[in-house]
Structure formats: structure tokens, C-alpha cells
Amino acid sequence: MKVFINPGHHPGIDSGAVNPTYGTKECDVVKEAGEMLADYLTNAGCEVKIMQDDDLDMVCATSNEWGADLFVSLHCNACNAHNARGTETWYKSFNGQRLANYIQSQIIRSTNTIDRGVKQSDGLWVLKHTDAVAVLVEIAFIDNDDDLEFMNENLDKIVRAIARGVTDYEGGY
């Protein structure tokens, strides 16, 4: 199985969301998570390609040209209200929903996060323009100090859960 991993945003160009208290940047957190996910999936026997870039056309084109079976985009959510918390996984297609359910359920079973569920979107660029079965995982709310602490303390556990969700999907496919 070929898995294309897209940590969102691009360090030095687009930080994504930023925690107002600590200055933690989404692009840095998801870069680390993406590299960990690539290692876990490679060890599980998947062929993996990872790309973090601000040019989403190029990211999607690279995934499509490579012939990815699955596309996993990693992000940190933000609400600017400081009270939103939890993890959610977005999808577009029927099989994307299956993959999202596997990933979301693994994260919820493995961690003490709030389950914000799986959600359909026709408007998220990488889901719309990727040929592979695609999901976008919003790991936690980076602008909520409690969620940031949860994410910092549990990033490895979260990423392992995402990897298990991918391999669960592969096994049930």
C-alpha cells in the first residue's frame, strides 16, 4: 500500500495556526507527527512518501503522479475561542469515510481526547484534488492550552493510533 503523508502548512512560509500563549506552530507539530507516521507506516510494510509544502496543487499532483493509494493530511485545529477541544477527521469519499472512521476510532480508543467525530467536506483542497482515498486529521486544537498540552504529551500515542487506523483500513479493504 502506498501512503502519501501531507503535514499541513510549510515552516518558514505558512505556520498555520499558532498557540497564542506558547507560540507553538502548527507546521512544526505536524512536521514531527508526519515524520513519525512515515516511520511507523514504513515499519508496517507500507510504501510512504511525505511532503510538506504550501503549494497544495503541487502536493496533490505529486501524490497523484506517485499513484498513492491513501493520502493522509495532518493538521492542528484552531478556534480562537480557547474552549474548543478534541480530535476530528475529515473525508470526502465513501472509502475516505471508512479510512476516517478507522483513524478516528483508533485515536479515541488510544487517548483521552474529545471525540469530535468524522466529518464530510467537499471543500477541503487536498481532499478535493487528490485521486487517492484521502483524509485530513485535525489532531487537536493548538490554540487551546489544555489541548496543546494533551497533544505534546501524547503525540507519539496519537501518531501510532493514526498508523493503526491506516493498517486497519488496509486489512479491511
Side-chain angles (χ1 to χ4, degrees), residues 12 30 46 62 70 77 95 99 114 128 132 162 171 173:
V30 297
C46 296
T62 303
L70 303 181
N77 223 335
N95 283 327
L99 176 59
I114 295 167
K128 190 175 181 179
I162 295 169
Y173 187 61

Side-chain angles (χ1 to χ4, degrees), residues 94-154:
F94 173 79
N95 283 327
Q97 182 180 19
R98 287 182 53 241
L99 176 59
N101 281 325
Y102 280 122
I103 290 171
Q104 185 75 11
S105 67
Q106 282 288 353
I107 294 171
I108 298 310
R109 283 194 300 237
S110 301
T111 68
N112 190 25
T113 188
I114 295 167
D115 184 0
R116 295 178 57 90
V118 296
K119 301 175 180 184
Q120 184 173 18
S121 172
D122 293 327
L124 292 171
W125 190 266
V126 294
L127 300 183
K128 190 175 181 179
H129 296 281
T130 305
D131 296 338
V133 173
V135 295
L136 187 148
V137 182
E138 295 278 8
I139 297 170
F141 281 82
I142 198 167
D143 61 346
N144 178 302
D145 290 351
D146 291 334
D147 239 22
L148 175 63
E149 181 181 354
F150 159 78
M151 187 169 49
N152 287 338
E153 292 175 357
N154 293 281

